[in-house]
Amino acid sequence: MPYLFVGAGQAGCSLVDAVFDHQRVAQLATPVAFNSTIRDLQNLSNIEREAWYGVSEGSGLVPGTTAGFEEEVTGGFGRDPEKADAALSGQQPQLVDAYEERFGDGTPPFAFLFLGLGGGTGCGIAPHLAEAIREYGGSSTDIIAVAVLPNTAGTVTGDDGPSATRQATNAMYGLDRLEEHVDGVILIDNQRLAYEDAAEGRFNEYNDYAASAIVDLISGPILERINPGEYDDLDAPVIDLQDVVTSLTLDDGGVGYATLGRSVTMTRSLPGYLLPFVGRKSVDGATLSRLAVSKRSVEDVNPTDAVKAIGQVRAPAPYLVDDDYRIQVSVIRGLLDSYCPEVNIGMTLTKRNLASFTTLLTFAREDISRLAEIEDLAAEHAAGVTP
């Protein structure tokens, strides 16, 4: 398994679980879930108990196979990341052992660390998890964080959640410490749901959207077992995870912050599902790429502030090799070129009757107004102002 996928807290573990809901991802990656609440771990559908690790205020790190696990890992940290931080302080050897137990003696070239930034557990433990990945894998392991920003415009579910300023304080506490240990950060903003007056169930849809985009970026042609060499006219550029890491790294070596966007369209009409030689639809590359950018995962970010961009086109073979149906990748590249000076485009095949475009737009942290807004809210909390 070349990749390590680590979930921290409820939001992070749920995202990893959504990634592993995709067929054959387990052939590429090994999941590990760290959380402080047994109920949240039990809600995972695709991560086996052997990959669970509880975080307890009294016991520190508790493997999921421990007798009495349910009694030791019960109640979380009351949305207080400092308590979660303290629970894993001094536990680096145990964390490294956990990675070795799950991944084996080899070194993962890439690790994804998923976390939520509004609560307590993910914010508090993620820096420890990242530091232990670095100790386990050494300098040869690149770490990409996938961080979920809290909805600070008001609770989506309508319940009495923590104040916006408290969530913002947690987010800054987690992000500032995490940045020291990762190579890049992909941001997922829950406030994108708030503007749609989303119901609670929409979080699962949002997780599925983000997970599908991540799978598109990591899988290339591998998961669908397609050999590009079978197509004589296919001369498609390929991107891999090293390209993703490069796109997330600023020119000065600093950590870049990226928004994620994905759009999908059907390549066959309904009759085409029944009769394989009819019903094929053309795909407009301009529409596909613009829709992906419009669905970017962070609110109020300006694409023209991006410093780098990466894009992955995935489509059936005729859309990459057939002149009658070929997606105009030059149009897609032209759109990304209009935003920033460094663009990398990849193309890969799928057996499904779908064409998709997934993109990351990378920014310097100071150019993301949403992070500035959260930082201002955290300052209000420190000053004793609670909306």
Side-chain angles (χ1 to χ4, degrees), residues 247-375:
S247 184
L248 287 168
T249 305
L250 302 181
D251 289 340
D252 63 2
V255 174
Y257 285 76
T259 67
L260 185 67
R262 182 175 186 261
S263 61
V264 182
T265 187
M266 305 295 295
T267 58
R268 285 194 180 276
S269 61
L270 182 58
Y273 280 89
L274 305 175
L275 302 171
F277 299 105
V278 301
R280 183 173 291 154
K281 302 165 61 176
S282 62
V283 174
D284 182 3
T287 300
L288 194 67
S289 55
R290 290 185 184 280
L291 181 58
V293 173
S294 73
K295 294 170 67 177
R296 55 192 178 274
S297 57
V298 178
E299 195 64 41
D300 294 333
V301 68
N302 188 342
T304 60
D305 288 332
V307 294
K308 295 183 180 182
I310 199 166
Q312 175 80 285
V313 177
R314 184 181 295 273
Y319 294 87
L320 302 185
V321 301
D322 188 332
D323 287 340
D324 291 334
Y325 291 97
R326 191 192 306 266
I327 297 173
Q328 296 301 311
V329 177
S330 61
V331 174
I332 296 175
R333 173 176 284 279
L335 175 67
L336 298 185
D337 282 339
S338 72
Y339 297 148
C340 59
E342 187 172 331
V343 173
N344 196 352
I345 296 286
M347 302 169 65
T348 191
L349 296 167
T350 180
K351 295 178 181 177
R352 303 178 68 191
N353 292 314
L354 297 173
S356 66
F357 178 66
T358 303
T359 185
L360 291 175
L361 299 177
T362 300
F363 303 81
R365 175 169 169 169
E366 59 268 21
D367 290 330
I368 298 181
S369 59
R370 181 76 174 98
L371 291 180
E373 173 190 328
I374 290 173
E375 202 160 352

Side-chain angles (χ1 to χ4, degrees), residues 148-295:
V148 181
L149 296 173
N151 165 25
T152 55
T155 57
V156 172
T157 60
D159 58 4
D160 293 327
S163 70
T165 59
R166 176 63 194 184
Q167 291 185 89
T169 298
N170 290 353
M172 288 299 103
Y173 180 84
L175 202 56
D176 289 343
R177 294 162 60 246
L178 181 66
E179 191 177 278
E180 302 173 17
H181 306 291
V182 301
D183 296 286
V185 180
I186 298 173
L187 296 173
I188 311 293
D189 191 358
N190 270 347
Q191 196 145 296
R192 295 287 281 174
L193 286 179
Y195 282 101
E196 299 174 10
D197 293 325
E200 184 174 3
R202 294 295 298 277
F203 279 110
N204 289 333
E205 294 179 22
Y206 202 35
N207 276 355
D208 291 343
Y209 170 76
S212 296
I214 295 294
V215 170
D216 266 355
L217 289 174
I218 70 168
S219 61
I222 300 172
L223 290 187
E224 298 199 52
R225 299 173 182 171
I226 299 174
N227 179 10
E230 296 177 1
Y231 301 89
D232 294 336
D233 297 329
L234 181 63
D235 184 22
V238 176
I239 60 171
D240 57 23
L241 264 179
Q242 188 56 61
D243 295 318
V244 173
V245 172
T246 299
S247 184
L248 287 168
T249 305
L250 302 181
D251 289 340
D252 63 2
V255 174
Y257 285 76
T259 67
L260 185 67
R262 182 175 186 261
S263 61
V264 182
T265 187
M266 305 295 295
T267 58
R268 285 194 180 276
S269 61
L270 182 58
Y273 280 89
L274 305 175
L275 302 171
F277 299 105
V278 301
R280 183 173 291 154
K281 302 165 61 176
S282 62
V283 174
D284 182 3
T287 300
L288 194 67
S289 55
R290 290 185 184 280
L291 181 58
V293 173
S294 73
K295 294 170 67 177

